[in-house]
Amino acid sequence: PGNYIAEAVVNYGEEVRMNRTFRIGSLFVNVTNFTQALPKEGIKKFSVDIESMWNNNIDEVYADVNISNSTKITGFSTPSTNLAPWEKKTLVGFVDTLDLEGNYKTDIILYYSGQKSFASGELVIFREKSNYTIVLVVGILLIVVVLVILIVLYIWKRNIKRTLQNRLKFSKRGL
């Protein structure tokens, strides 16, 4: 399998050369990428990117995805799809992340035309910061900024008042 160049040389008193690039494939579907991180929020989309390495159609390609640590935690199958020669597609399944958090091993098995392809990696389930936490932090920062402004204004006002009182004392003595 791979990319090749065919070159034809015809000589009939004058030499003419032509070349074309072509591929020879093998019946193989490659997993090129898959979801590696999801938030812990319930049912989430899990994507598996695939690419046909075959120069014919491949019908009913689907993936079984297993998520585990020391034991199988959960798994699902994607709907099947058909691949045209050399086509790239994304298979999509769904996983419930509500009871999961941390690092998990991901095993993917692709099924097609009586064949299997395998891929594995890691899936990280993380807890997203809630909007309430962000609102709380912003609220506290606003309160701190307002307090700092009020303290600065109080000190500034007190210094102006002292300055005016001192000037008034000196001006009364001069009279």
Side-chain angles (χ1 to χ4, degrees):
N3 295 323
Y4 295 89
I5 297 175
E7 183 174 61
V9 179
V10 178
N11 191 340
Y12 53 93
E14 179 180 327
E15 189 173 288
V16 177
R17 290 180 177 262
M18 287 190 66
N19 62 49
R20 299 267 186 225
T21 302
F22 66 97
R23 286 175 148 175
I24 294 179
S26 63
L27 182 54
F28 181 71
V29 179
N30 189 29
V31 175
T32 58
N33 198 12
F34 59 89
T35 301
Q36 296 177 7
L38 290 171
K40 177 186 170 117
E41 291 182 344
I43 298 175
K44 291 295 176 192
K45 183 169 80 168
F46 188 99
S47 300
V48 180
D49 296 333
I50 60 174
E51 178 179 12
S52 171
M53 305 306 282
W54 186 233
N55 48 338
N56 286 315
N57 292 333
I58 303 175
D59 295 331
E60 298 194 26
V61 179
Y62 71 95
D64 280 343
V65 178
N66 294 304
I67 298 169
S68 62
N69 45 24
S70 58
T71 61
K72 180 178 174 184
I73 302 294
T74 189
F76 60 91
S77 293
T78 67
S80 64
T81 189
N82 298 328
L83 289 173
W86 313 105
E87 185 176 21
K88 296 178 183 181
K89 279 193 176 177
T90 300
L91 299 173
V92 176
F94 294 89
V95 60
D96 187 356
T97 63
L98 195 57
D99 296 328
L100 304 175
E101 188 170 349
N103 297 350
Y104 296 89
K105 182 177 181 195
T106 305
D107 292 311
I108 300 169
I109 306 169
L110 283 181
Y111 295 94
Y112 54 94
S113 298
Q115 305 288 317
K116 294 180 187 178
S117 295
F118 301 92
S120 62
E122 188 174 78
L123 174 66
V124 177
I125 309 290
F126 60 92
R127 184 182 301 267
E128 281 192 323
K129 293 182 180 178
S130 71
N131 290 338
Y132 298 115
T133 305
I134 294 169
V135 169
L136 181 64
V137 169
V138 169
I140 290 171
L141 286 174
L142 281 172
I143 290 171
V144 168
V145 167
V146 168
L147 285 174
V148 167
I149 291 172
L150 288 174
I151 290 170
V152 167
L153 286 174
Y154 173 77
I155 292 171
W156 183 66
K157 182 179 176 184
R158 201 173 84 194
N159 286 341
I160 288 177
K161 189 174 181 181
R162 280 187 189 162
T163 303
L164 289 174
Q165 286 175 347
N166 287 340
R167 284 185 182 172
L168 188 62
K169 283 181 187 177
F170 286 121
S171 65
K172 285 184 181 179
R173 286 185 192 166
L175 289 174

